[in-house]
Amino acid sequence: MADTTLWAELLAFGTGLALSPIHLGVLLLLLLGPKPIQRGSWFVTGWIVTTLVTVILLLTVGHSLVLDMTQGSHHRTALDLLGGGALISLGLKELLRSFAAGEEKPAWTHTIERIINLPLPLLIAVGALTELISPDDLFLFAKTSAVVLAASLPSWQEIVGLVFFTFGSSLLLLIPLVAVIIGRERVIPLLQSGKQLLFAKGDLIVGGVSFALGAYLGWQGISGLTIVI
């Protein structure tokens, strides 16, 4: 049976994936624009499907290659050290950019303004592509698959774990969408405030989360090296 550490790790990695300022920003603008429920629902569905399919494919590849992902194995130690280093680097970059920008809007806000004007099918496709080409997202996908492989779970528990990860990674998108479905007029001020906060502090939030996750992965990688030694 999977222990609580596995669920905590899956939730942490899912939360890290969820803090995507571009996807959150796009959703908030969709919910504030025309046809908010229709366009917002399809966009969130695209995120959920992309997340679940990606992590299932990585887990399938891991099984087919019979990768050893136990603590101290070469594959897992390399993944932890590479992922930790990359996330720490990205986190520091985002933090420095946030401090340097001051009151200026982050550059990615202009990307968001272009994305939301795309036709819905293209909007969903761009959202999926943006999720897949993000380096920190790719490391989180890989790490999620690695910890599930290392747990050596029965197939049904692997499925539960992947669904749990996908739900955690989608929660920040689902909350505003459900709120709009329940009563859009009442939550419009909250959506506006959320958009302003995200545009003002998005780099700081993402940088802090990336740095924290990177430090955790780096610590796991170093722990793996000590086991090997």
Side-chain angles (χ1 to χ4, degrees), residues 1 4 13 35 47 59 72 75 93 111 113 123 127 133 150 157 193 204 210 225 227:
M1 185 70 179
T4 55
F13 299 145
K35 299 181 179 179
W47 167 275
L59 189 61
H75 296 116
K93 179 182 176 181
T111 302
E113 291 166 355
L123 172 68
I133 65 175
Q157 285 193 25
S193 299
L204 183 63
S210 295
L225 286 177
I227 292 175

Side-chain angles (χ1 to χ4, degrees), residues 9-30:
E9 285 188 316
L10 291 177
L11 182 59
F13 299 145
T15 301
L17 189 68
L19 288 170
S20 168
I22 291 180
H23 289 87
L24 290 172
V26 167
L27 178 63
L28 290 175
L29 290 180
L30 289 176

Side-chain angles (χ1 to χ4, degrees), residues 15-153:
T15 301
L17 189 68
L19 288 170
S20 168
I22 291 180
H23 289 87
L24 290 172
V26 167
L27 178 63
L28 290 175
L29 290 180
L30 289 176
L31 295 179
L32 289 167
K35 299 181 179 179
I37 295 176
Q38 177 188 1
R39 289 170 64 81
S41 297
W42 278 111
F43 184 75
V44 173
T45 300
W47 167 275
I48 293 173
V49 171
T50 301
T51 301
L52 188 58
V53 169
T54 301
V55 77
I56 287 175
L57 288 176
L58 287 174
L59 189 61
T60 302
V61 169
H63 276 303
S64 64
L65 296 178
V66 197
L67 294 178
D68 180 10
M69 285 297 177
T70 56
Q71 185 72 12
S73 68
H74 295 300
H75 296 116
R76 179 165 176 176
T77 300
L79 177 63
D80 288 341
L81 291 175
L82 287 173
L87 287 174
I88 288 175
S89 176
L90 287 169
L92 288 174
K93 179 182 176 181
E94 295 292 338
L95 290 173
L96 291 174
R97 184 165 59 185
S98 174
F99 294 136
E103 299 299 323
E104 295 182 13
K105 292 172 62 177
W108 47 263
T109 60
H110 303 297
T111 302
I112 288 176
E113 291 166 355
R114 292 194 295 269
I115 291 177
I116 61 169
N117 293 319
L118 295 173
L120 185 56
L122 190 55
L123 172 68
I124 296 171
V126 170
L129 180 62
T130 304
E131 184 179 359
L132 293 175
I133 65 175
S134 171
D136 47 346
D137 287 355
L138 288 176
F139 276 115
L140 289 170
F141 280 132
K143 183 59 181 176
T144 297
S145 302
V147 298
V148 174
L149 283 172
S152 299
L153 302 173

Side-chain angles (χ1 to χ4, degrees), residues 162-183:
L162 297 185
V163 171
F164 184 76
F165 167 77
T166 303
F167 176 75
S169 69
S170 308
L171 193 57
L172 291 180
L173 296 174
L174 287 170
I175 289 174
L177 176 62
V178 172
V180 167
I181 292 174
I182 294 174

